Amino acid sequence: MATKETSSLHSVVGLLCLLCLIHLSLAYSLKNCSIIYQENPSAEVALDCARRKLVTIPDDLPKHTVMVQLGENVLKKIIKDDFCDMSKLSLLNLTSNEIASVEDGSFTDLVSLKTLDISSNKLTNLTSNMFQGLSNLIELDLSENSITFIHSSALQPLVSLQTLDLNENGLKEVADIEPILLLPQIRTLRLTCNQFSSFETNDLPLNLSSSLKVLGISSFQLETFSIATPIFPYLQKLDFSGCGQQYSELQWDIPDKALLRNITHLYLTHPGLSFEDFQNILQSFESLSHLRLAYLDFEKGLLTTICQIQTLRKLDLFYSDLTSLSIEPCSQVTEIDLTLNTITELPKGTFQSMKHLRSLNVSLNSLTNIPYDVRSLEGLEVLNLNGNLISKLTCEDFEQTNHLAELYLNYNNIDNLEKCVFESLTNLKILDVSNNLLQAFGNTFTTSLQKLEVLDLSHTVLTVVRICDFQDALKQLDVETSFFGREKCNSSSELNNLESLDIQFKLCNYDNNLEILHTTSQDDFIHLKSMKRFTVICNNADQGFNTYKAKASSFRPLTFLLRAMENLDTFRGVHVHASHVGTFQFNSQLKSLTLAKTDLSDLNSKFFLSVPNLQSLDFTENNITSLEFLVQAELYALRYLKVTDNEINVIDDSVLKSLPSLTYLDLSNNKFTCGCSNSGFIQWVKNNKQTQVVNAHQYKCSFPVEKQGTFLLDFDIQPCMDDGRFFFFISSTCLVVLTLLTSFIYHFLKWQLVYTFHLFLAFLYDSRKGKKQDPHQFDAFVSYNVHDEDWVYREMLPVLEGEQGWRLCLHHRDFQPGKPIIENITDAIYGSRKTICVISRHYLQSEWCSREIQMASFRLFDEKKDVLILLFLEEIPPHHLSPHYRMRKLVKKRTYLSWPQAAHPGVFWQNVQRALQTGDAVAENTDLLTGT
Ligand SMILES: *[C@@H]1O[C@H](CO)[C@@H](O)[C@H](O)[C@H]1NC(C)=O
Ligand SMILES: *[C@@H]1O[C@H](CO)[C@@H](O)[C@H](O)[C@H]1NC(C)=O
Ligand SMILES: *[C@@H]1O[C@H](CO)[C@@H](O)[C@H](O)[C@H]1NC(C)=O
Ligand SMILES: *[C@@H]1O[C@H](CO)[C@@H](O)[C@H](O)[C@H]1NC(C)=O
Ligand SMILES: *[C@@H]1O[C@H](CO)[C@@H](O)[C@H](O)[C@H]1NC(C)=O
Ligand SMILES: *[C@@H]1O[C@H](CO)[C@@H](O)[C@H](O)[C@H]1NC(C)=O
């Protein structure tokens, strides 16, 4: 009992402490960063602190963060305390700041860091202890700084480093990079655009051997490149890319071909190399498979030299002044990339014998036709012609390219797609015709391209697109049109596999769209069962795609399409008026809803009742003035809520209470009132532990006028509390604590309380009467239950009063009427020498009777007088007494007589007489009077 009470006491104390702690701990909304929302609720914390004009690292980054984006701020230095205790951090991005110094030991605690990006800063000097502690770092980006000096021990801690990017720095001497080459795990080193005037391995220890696989090196001034020692036995890729177009002579010195035997990838985009230079360089390699060249002059037959490399598989030619070229002899090549030249034509024969060609990229050139040879490239799988001037496709263009799987024709001038053009492309999966002048495509997509899965028709000038214009294999369709619907569709195509549909309407004019989206009857219902993502964008800013303002009897085109998408997961509408209550009535699976740039001021909470699974809601720019509509929306699963750029003044507490799962709330750019009407919200932002209020510290006041421009969270809510609310808060807190305590005490200390109460009564009695030493009015007070009255009057009274002559007090007979019962009992017990309790089951159940026992036993306790005589009328097994454990204790210790156990009534009454005769002193061994 005692231990139970103590532990309960501990838990109450603990509870109270917990309440204090919750109040004292830090808020969940960060001052200068936001926690990136992730669909998986148990994902680890990732922070976005980029582009916030930060001058120093914020001091409230949660210690268990795994990723921090701090790019594009104005940080000037990193100091020791900036990242202390962040032992879980795995990625730190400090790109595009003004960091000129990193204090020694700043990263010591980052034992889990794998990626560190300090590119585009102002570092000049890698100091000795700068990277201390980064033993797990794998990737380090220091490009675009002004590093001229690397301390010999600066990189020593980086025992796991695999990739180091030092592009665009000021390194001058090869000896500077020695510590890098000695890193045990180093695989990739980028040194493009530094200030080496020569790169000679003879400047390094002769026995040095590095694990590098990829080396990038170049410089404006590079004049000598010499590898004369077996320093790079594992090197596979040498990137000799230039820095812009500056011309320089290059002396290339590789005395032993075996030294570069394992290089397979060579990028040689160094401007100004002569034909002889190229020939010289290419001769150093034995097993090139990927060659990238740029700034070339082809007139001297360079291609012939290149095509003699039998191991070559991939050839890239960039930035060269080619109007046309012939690569015919390179029949071993499978991939050709001719991006960004000035090619106007690839005449017949260019690729004629290239039977192995699988990928051809001629994007960003000036072609006006599909190259003639494409039609015969039977093995071609990927063709990229984006960004040319092609206007016409002919029926022969793809005659035999029936292995083609991906075709990119975006950003051209194509205005029409004849049915015959794609007839051979029976394996095409991806077709991009976006950003063309396309006006029509007839039945192209229904008669050919049976395997087409992804079709991009966005940014075109199409006017009519119908569901029956496509085949069942289609999974993803992006389209811009004036009308989208099912008019005059009589094919059975239902786009059963369509998962993603993105429609941009040129002009969302209700009356015009209505016509085309019309369907004749409800029976003619379409099924888009696989649809997961649906986006509708109206490109006209003024008029919404109006489903709501139509008369009730009118057809609602958007609702009609949505009705077919019973498994829809994500809907996004821009300039789309879709706030009618029934809009999503058939989309109960919807998890993510975005409505932007429309008027949602009339939104009703019933709107959400059909989408109970909604997890993410984005209502950007909708003229919303209040979030009241969420109160009855029953969005119990909602985790992400973004209502930025609206007209909200006040957030009511009831809104916050109605969203139990909310973890991310963004209310940036609203028109907050800084007054007591928002004090509840302000307090919640500062104290709640579940919901991040994104950028809350930057929210500004719009009202009242005198507070305009000040910060919402700076508003002092104390005066609001004082006007009654604070009192209410304190008093309700007290009430709660009091209730807790009372119920605790009642539960665990009930007996002690009653006991104390009676002691108090006894004390009162003592001080009133006891001290007078009244001679006892009665010999015994008889306490019994009415059910046993019969026995008392028939059996007990005749013997004790009649035969033995005791004066007894019976409450029916002797209690003073009109006196409180408890006082009568007290008087009776203290006015009698003894108290006889007639114990039966009824007696034990009766509240008053057990009080009499209690009182008498207090007298025993209080006056040290043994006044109790227990007469058991029935056999009551001890375990039945256990609820009345006080009684059990008494029975164990005190006089008791059992009527049923008595051998003879005479003996029983004799024992009672003896008990009544005994003195008041507490006898130690009174256990004998059992009557047996
Ligand atoms: C973080 O934000 C607070 C409040 O907006 C601002 O006072 C503070 O200067 C910011 N901290 C940094 C490091 O910029
Ligand atoms: C760092 O941030 C920039 C944008 O601020 C981004 O482009 C870059 O990819 C990031 N780097 C890493 C390693 O995440
Ligand atoms: C690099 O920085 C250290 C410490 O700031 C300094 O002692 C050293 O002179 C610097 N070295 C160079 C080459 O600037
Ligand atoms: C390279 O040679 C130097 C002496 O010239 C020696 O101190 C060093 O340990 C050697 N390194 C290796 C990796 O053999
Ligand atoms: C170089 O390549 C050959 C064949 O690809 C290979 O067997 C050898 O191990 C490689 N050498 C090194 C040092 O990686
Ligand atoms: C929002 O309201 C303003 C005037 O109150 C109006 O000019 C604007 O067009 C409305 N914006 C939207 C998206 O309805």
Side-chain angles (χ1 to χ4, degrees), residues 870-884:
L870 305 178
L871 301 187
F872 278 78
L873 270 195
E874 299 171 73
E875 291 273 24
I876 297 176
H879 65 272
H880 278 188
L881 292 175
S882 62
H884 314 265

Side-chain angles (χ1 to χ4, degrees), residues 876-915:
I876 297 176
H879 65 272
H880 278 188
L881 292 175
S882 62
H884 314 265
Y885 58 96
R886 187 76 191 170
M887 168 75 83
R888 215 178 64 181
K889 269 170 140 176
L890 279 172
V891 170
K892 276 188 179 160
K893 281 193 182 154
R894 313 249 51 90
T895 313
Y896 77 96
L897 300 120
S898 171
W899 175 253
Q901 280 182 18
H904 189 274
V907 181
F908 179 81
W909 294 120
Q910 252 175 21
N911 285 336
V912 176
Q913 188 174 23
R914 267 174 60 198

Side-chain angles (χ1 to χ4, degrees), residues 64-76:
H64 56 294
T65 304
V66 297
M67 184 192 90
V68 186
Q69 295 290 349
L70 273 159
E72 295 166 67
N73 283 296
V74 281
L75 304 171
K76 297 217 165 19

Side-chain angles (χ1 to χ4, degrees), residues 336-392:
I336 290 185
D337 189 343
L338 300 171
T339 302
L340 272 172
N341 292 290
T342 45
I343 301 168
T344 52
E345 199 192 357
L346 288 168
K348 187 174 175 182
T350 310
F351 310 111
Q352 199 173 30
S353 61
M354 304 187 75
K355 297 290 172 227
H356 302 293
L357 199 63
R358 284 192 283 107
S359 169
L360 177 60
N361 187 347
V362 201
S363 56
L364 304 173
N365 278 284
S366 305
L367 292 175
T368 50
N369 299 304
I370 305 286
Y372 184 89
D373 286 341
V374 165
R375 63 188 63 182
S376 59
L377 292 174
E378 285 173 40
L380 201 65
E381 288 166 15
V382 180
L383 177 59
N384 191 342
L385 296 171
N386 101 69
N388 278 282
L389 302 168
I390 301 166
S391 55
K392 266 261 156 313

Side-chain angles (χ1 to χ4, degrees), residues 675-679 715-726:
C676 288
S677 50
N678 266 327
S679 63
F715 177 73
D716 181 12
I717 55 172
Q718 202 58 48
C720 310
M721 300 291 224
D722 290 344
D723 74 355
R725 263 182 257 202
F726 185 64

Side-chain angles (χ1 to χ4, degrees), residues 201-202 206 208-210 212-213 215 225-238 252-264 283-287:
T201 57
N202 281 332
L206 295 180
L208 185 66
S209 171
S210 167
L212 267 193
K213 289 187 165 169
L215 174 64
F225 183 79
S226 160
I227 295 184
T229 62
I231 184 174
F232 300 129
Y234 305 97
L235 204 62
Q236 293 172 355
K237 180 167 163 181
L238 183 59
W252 182 267
D253 176 27
I254 314 284
D256 182 359
K257 262 185 167 185
L259 293 175
L260 298 179
R261 186 189 323 124
N262 279 25
I263 293 187
T264 51
Q283 272 165 13
S284 316
F285 303 94
E286 282 183 338
S287 47

Side-chain angles (χ1 to χ4, degrees), residues 541-542 575 596-600 621-623 647:
D542 331 324
H575 287 306
K597 301 185 183 178
T598 176
D599 186 356
L600 293 183
E621 273 190 74
N622 292 313
N623 276 6
E647 311 278 325

